[in-house]
């Protein structure tokens, strides 16, 4: 229906703004900060590549759909770096309330049935309880670790993060939905933190 | 297997370089050119949002997987704008050969079975013959049209493109896999070209 297409293209045009939301994490080569649109592509690719690390029964295509949508709310809220405010800002009640308002507005641009379906998927991701959401949330924590390892420390240096803080804020969350991945990454991060200047 | 993870993370690190490949198309607000990683996210989102425009039997999750992978070769080849060289460079034999070499190298970073599966999906996209590939290819042509409409002409102005050239290079290709989408977009583009300064 043309009315649906009007709404869908309005949503897709609004989504373009995610390319102008910048995160604390840099590209692997350290040349600039990463934006949330390209992060969303990269983490969806992580899901495709690392699918066999998911728990039995995880539907990777649902995980990919979640990851394509998961950060759209940042169009309104911006990115809240996980290590900012000594780790306290990222999941604050204030941040969560702002994200809920953003989800209302953004998914509300779509035709009603699609708005409901996308919102349900985003709510499921945020709740972090189903196997699909847990794997998606674990994957979402990984690319910044890999970028920091590649770029000489990145946000760990910027925010003076210790290995213990990394393990508490990031490692345990990766391990919850993807223990095999944390096993692999933990070795690399421990080596980096013990050799840090 | 750790050996597989070593290979998979090497591939994901290499993929990060797609964020530094710039296209002719700008963001909707015209503020800068778009990179291929954020384009890949946006077009995957197009697939999710516009799924009901696909022909019967199209598997949208396969389409999304294709779109996540479709432009990785540009890490080695760069983007070849569709309107450059008066429309002749984009699908030249030289460009195609360079993309094949890039696909060999990039997918070759992965464990063998995964390399084969991803390469098959990319080959299917490039061949543009299955219903999934045809829908994916049609979607891939759409975001630059929407960006040009939003930003005051963009690459149409830059490359002095006529409506007839747009229809031949882009419109017919969108119509092949997504006729309902070209119907909708055609009206907008005709209006833009007849009102152009």
């Amino acid at each position: 229906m043309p009315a649906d297409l009007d709404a869908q293209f309005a949503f897709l045009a609004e989504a373009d703004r995610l390319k102008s939301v910048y995160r604390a994490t840099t590209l692997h080569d350290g040349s600039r900060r990463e934006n949330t649109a390209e992060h969303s592509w990269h983490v969806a690719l992580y899901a495709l590549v690392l699918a066999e690390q998911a728990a039995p029964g995880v539907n990777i295509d649902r995980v990919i759909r979640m990851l394509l949508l998961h950060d759209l709310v940042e169009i309104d809220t911006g990115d809240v770096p996980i290590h900012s405010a000594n780790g306290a800002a990222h999941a604050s009640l204030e941040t969560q309330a702002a994200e809920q308002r953003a989800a209302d507005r953004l998914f509300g641009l779509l035709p009603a049935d699609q708005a409901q379906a996308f919102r349900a998927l985003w709510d499921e991701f945020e709740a972090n309880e189903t196997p699909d959401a847990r794997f998606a949330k674990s994957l979402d924590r990984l690319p910044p670790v890999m970028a920091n390892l590649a770029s000489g420390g990145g946000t760990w240096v910027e925010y003076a993060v210790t290995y213990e803080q990394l393990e508490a804020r990031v490692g345990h969350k990766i391990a919850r939905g993807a223990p095999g991945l944390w096993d692999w990454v933990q070795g690399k991060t421990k080596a980096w933190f013990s050799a840090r200047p």
Side-chain angles (χ1 to χ4, degrees), chain A:
Chain A
M1 285 194 302
D4 279 0
L5 285 178
D6 289 349
Q8 288 164 328
F9 277 105
F11 173 84
L12 289 168
E14 188 70 11
D16 198 74
R17 295 174 60 201
L18 200 61
K19 300 169 187 170
S20 299
V21 174
Y22 283 87
R23 296 158 49 87
T25 303
T26 67
L27 304 193
H28 282 215
D29 66 9
S31 57
R32 63 167 172 83
R33 293 195 194 266
E34 173 184 59
N35 72 60
T36 303
E38 61 198 0
H39 157 71
S40 298
W41 165 75
H42 207 180
V43 71
L45 190 65
Y46 271 62
L48 189 54
V49 170
L50 301 171
E52 66 194 13
Q53 298 290 328
V58 166
N59 178 336
I60 284 298
D61 291 305
R62 286 191 83 242
V63 169
I64 290 172
R65 287 171 176 233
M66 277 183 197
L67 290 169
L68 292 174
L69 300 175
H70 80 294
D71 270 342
L72 276 168
V73 293
E74 293 186 4
I75 290 169
D76 287 358
T77 66
D79 181 61
V80 181
I82 197 158
H83 298 298
S84 64
N86 206 23
H90 185 77
S92 72
L93 289 178
E94 198 183 343
T95 299
Q96 287 178 37
E99 289 181 349
Q100 292 289 329
R101 289 192 299 274
D104 290 346
R105 184 183 79 78
L106 287 158
F107 295 127
L109 295 172
L110 288 164
D113 54 343
Q114 196 164 44
Q116 197 169 22
F118 283 24
R119 177 58 179 266
L121 208 55
W122 182 78
D123 285 341
E124 180 181 336
F125 174 81
E126 286 295 303
N128 196 12
E129 280 166 12
T130 65
D132 290 354
R134 287 164 66 156
F135 190 58
K137 276 271 186 192
S138 292
L139 289 176
D140 190 34
R141 301 294 184 215
L142 259 178
V145 175
M146 303 315 295
N148 284 353
L149 286 170
S151 66
T155 57
W156 299 333
V157 174
E158 184 172 4
Y159 291 107
V161 175
T162 66
Y163 177 78
E164 291 67 31
Q165 287 171 331
L166 176 71
E167 192 159 50
R169 292 176 194 163
V170 176
H172 292 163
K173 290 174 184 170
I174 295 175
R176 184 162 180 261
L181 291 176
W182 179 241
D183 280 353
W184 188 89
V185 174
Q186 187 177 33
K188 315 274 176 197
T189 55
K190 272 190 173 158
W192 187 88
F193 278 90
S194 32
R196 76 185 293 177

